[in-house]
Amino acid sequence: MRSSSLPPLVAFSIIATFSFTPAIAAAVDVSALENIRPALPRIPERDFILTDFGAIGDGHTLNTDSFRKAIHAVDQAGGGRLIVPKGIFRTGPFVLCSNLNLHLETGAMIQAPDTFEALGLPDPATLHSQAEASAVKTPDPLITGRHLHDVAITGSGTIDGSGAHWWAWSERASRAQPGRLVYRRPHLVTINGCERLHIADITLSNSSMFHLVPRDVTDLTIERVKVRAPFNAPNTDAIDPGPVANAWIHHCDIDTGDDDIVIKSGGHNVLIEDCKIAHGHGISIGSETSVGVNHMLVRRCTFDGADNGIRIKSMRGAGGLVENIRYTEITMKDVANPITIQLNYVDNNRPNFKGDPRKIPAIRDIMIDHVTATGARNAGIIIGLPDSPIKGLAMEDVSITAETDLVIRDADQPTLTRVTRTIKPDIAPAKIPGEH
């Protein structure tokens, strides 16, 4: 086992300073991402109003057919903006088309049904076995699209997943109550394959599982988006791009019960900046990294009360190469684990996962600089694999105040320059019941 040691504790305070190695700095070069601006959708300037297609925003009427008719009209016309006016428009799942801007005006809400019956599903309380529950077809996400181009979801309105009745039958609920059935949950908004996708200004809330999942997207812009779910809502990831190429995620405000922003499967040319993170699992890469993630810059983000801050996680069977990543100008307050970089991750929902044994994760050339973290439970962990040690990790101008020190295992010795770790007992806030 390859391990790296840090200077010993002295009077509950550690100050470690090493000469900076230019070769390490040169290995991490994401300067080309500082001004990345993905191409935006090109959408015709014609408007369609949802209520012209029979929709009623009374919070009760199911408007699935109205959404489908309206989007069909946009598609037939060659594209345009579908305006959702003020009101609560309940709907079942519907599918987007290309050349479409789904625009939610102030006071507009698109909301999923809040009962299983409304989706044509049996109430899990009436089922007698997990086999019965597993046989129930999971509904499509509330909003989906596949093989599209030039799509936008904009406006100051809200897309709400009415997730509470789903959370009660989640994997986490089953772990807390052994024998309780698990119902597979849909995401809120999923786009599978798109060139030029723009998500701006909307609020996403209370998804039954992940909120926004843009997969196989080239030229992705997500800006000024707010995501909200209770801190203990299971698996309510906020923004989950991947694979993605040319992505700019900025000025988002996130408070959820799982990953706040996470690059999954793969990513290339990704800029995440000026985001505000509250509860959740931080800005992450993984756990699926099979396609690889490279050329990613995270900067000027703040964290307050999250479980994790900077996080790269992967595991045997679903791993690829993660390299050339920089985190800079990051501030964290009361974050349990400011830095987590691990290749031995275990998914609580799939503890026996094996995957493809050929897919062994690897991490190299990671730069963490100008980071301040106070009130942490653990300074962090850096854990590779015996046959895939973490390489080329550098930290510069990092200050962490925590109850326990960094743990480093199966990794080359990081290059540390002006890295201060102050270790004090009982410095982190008390853990809230139900917190992860």
Side-chain angles (χ1 to χ4, degrees):
M1 177 179 293
R2 181 183 308 199
S3 299
S4 299
S5 60
L6 293 169
L9 284 152
V10 178
F12 296 111
S13 180
I14 304 172
I15 298 177
T17 304
F18 296 82
S19 60
F20 192 65
T21 306
I24 297 291
V28 180
D29 183 5
V30 291
S31 56
L33 302 179
E34 294 181 1
N35 297 301
I36 188 172
R37 296 296 182 267
L40 292 172
R42 300 185 290 269
I43 298 171
E45 293 184 5
R46 60 173 71 93
D47 287 347
F48 300 77
I49 312 298
L50 182 65
T51 48
D52 289 345
F53 297 86
I56 300 173
D58 59 3
H60 302 288
T61 303
L62 200 63
N63 294 287
T64 312
D65 286 342
S66 295
F67 274 101
R68 291 173 179 170
K69 289 176 183 177
I71 291 170
H72 178 71
V74 174
D75 192 26
Q76 290 296 105
R81 185 173 69 158
L82 174 57
I83 297 173
V84 182
K86 182 179 179 180
I88 300 175
F89 294 88
R90 287 217 164 170
T91 178
F94 62 89
V95 181
L96 304 180
C97 65
S98 294
N99 300 307
L100 169 69
N101 179 1
L102 178 64
H103 183 80
L104 287 77
E105 292 189 332
T106 301
M109 176 180 287
I110 299 174
Q111 188 174 58
D114 61 357
T115 66
F116 295 112
E117 181 183 17
L119 288 168
L121 302 175
D123 189 321
T126 67
L127 304 179
H128 300 94
S129 69
Q130 183 58 53
E132 282 188 78
S134 298
V136 175
K137 184 180 184 300
T138 306
D140 289 335
L142 187 67
I143 300 175
T144 58
R146 184 177 294 274
H147 306 309
L148 302 177
H149 62 85
D150 300 294
V151 174
I153 303 176
T154 66
S156 56
T158 298
I159 302 173
D160 183 81
S162 300
H165 63 296
W166 289 98
W167 303 333
W169 300 93
S170 67
E171 295 86 353
R172 185 185 300 168
S174 178
R175 289 195 297 271
Q177 304 174 56
R180 188 174 180 82
L181 301 182
V182 174
Y183 235 16
R184 290 176 297 189
R185 294 168 285 155
H187 304 324
L188 186 61
V189 180
T190 299
I191 307 297
N192 286 300
C194 189
E195 295 183 8
R196 297 175 297 279
L197 176 62
H198 184 203
I199 314 291
D201 301 307
I202 61 169
T203 295
L204 303 170
S205 62
N206 299 316
S207 178
S208 58
M209 204 165 170
F210 305 163
H211 284 80
L212 176 60
V213 185
R215 298 191 185 110
D216 292 311
V217 174
T218 301
D219 290 317
L220 170 67
T221 301
I222 301 174
E223 54 189 345
R224 301 178 301 278
V225 168
K226 183 183 291 184
V227 187
R228 291 291 185 269
F231 75 90
N232 58 353
N235 309 109
T236 48
D237 290 16
I239 300 173
D240 288 20
V244 64
N246 304 330
W248 183 30
I249 302 171
H250 68 99
H251 292 94
C252 293
D253 182 344
I254 301 172
D255 189 350
T256 69
D258 210 305
D259 289 322
D260 297 288
I261 301 173
V262 54
I263 306 301
K264 292 194 172 185
S265 296
H268 176 74
N269 289 350
V270 177
L271 172 60
I272 301 171
E273 61 181 349
D274 299 303
C275 290
K276 179 182 177 181
I277 308 296
H279 296 100
H281 293 182
I283 297 180
S284 303
I285 293 174
S287 60
E288 304 89 350
T289 59
S290 54
V291 180
V293 179
N294 61 76
H295 293 85
M296 173 171 156
L297 171 61
V298 180
R299 65 179 178 180
R300 297 195 305 268
C301 293
T302 61
F303 299 75
D304 189 348
D307 287 350
N308 298 283
I310 296 166
R311 192 182 194 195
I312 304 174
K313 53 181 176 174
S314 195
M315 53 189 173
R316 293 186 187 276
L321 176 60
V322 176
E323 65 175 343
N324 202 31
I325 314 292
R326 184 185 181 194
Y327 303 86
T328 184
E329 298 177 75
I330 307 291
T331 302
M332 305 185 206
K333 176 186 175 185
D334 300 339
V335 172
N337 307 286
I339 299 173
T340 300
I341 301 175
Q342 64 178 136
L343 298 183
N344 65 344
Y345 175 76
V346 176
D347 186 339
N348 288 331
N349 295 329
R350 300 180 297 167
N352 299 315
F353 175 81
K354 298 298 182 184
D356 184 342
R358 297 170 296 179
K359 294 181 178 179
I360 300 174
I363 294 175
R364 68 187 186 203
D365 299 335
I366 309 294
M367 183 70 192
I368 299 172
D369 66 279
H370 298 88
V371 172
T372 300
T374 58
R377 292 199 192 110
N378 314 293
I381 61 171
I382 300 166
I383 300 177
L385 297 173
D387 52 339
S388 184
I390 294 169
K391 298 176 178 292
L393 173 63
M395 298 186 198
E396 180 177 359
D397 294 308
V398 173
S399 174
I400 301 175
T401 303
E403 293 182 356
T404 65
D405 199 12
L406 280 166
V407 174
I408 302 177
R409 188 168 69 244
D410 293 319
D412 290 353
Q413 173 65 54
T415 298
L416 307 179
T417 305
R418 296 183 298 280
V419 173
T420 302
R421 301 167 338 268
T422 302
I423 308 303
K424 295 182 179 180
D426 303 320
I427 198 170
K431 191 171 183 178
I432 301 170
E435 190 178 16
H436 314 323

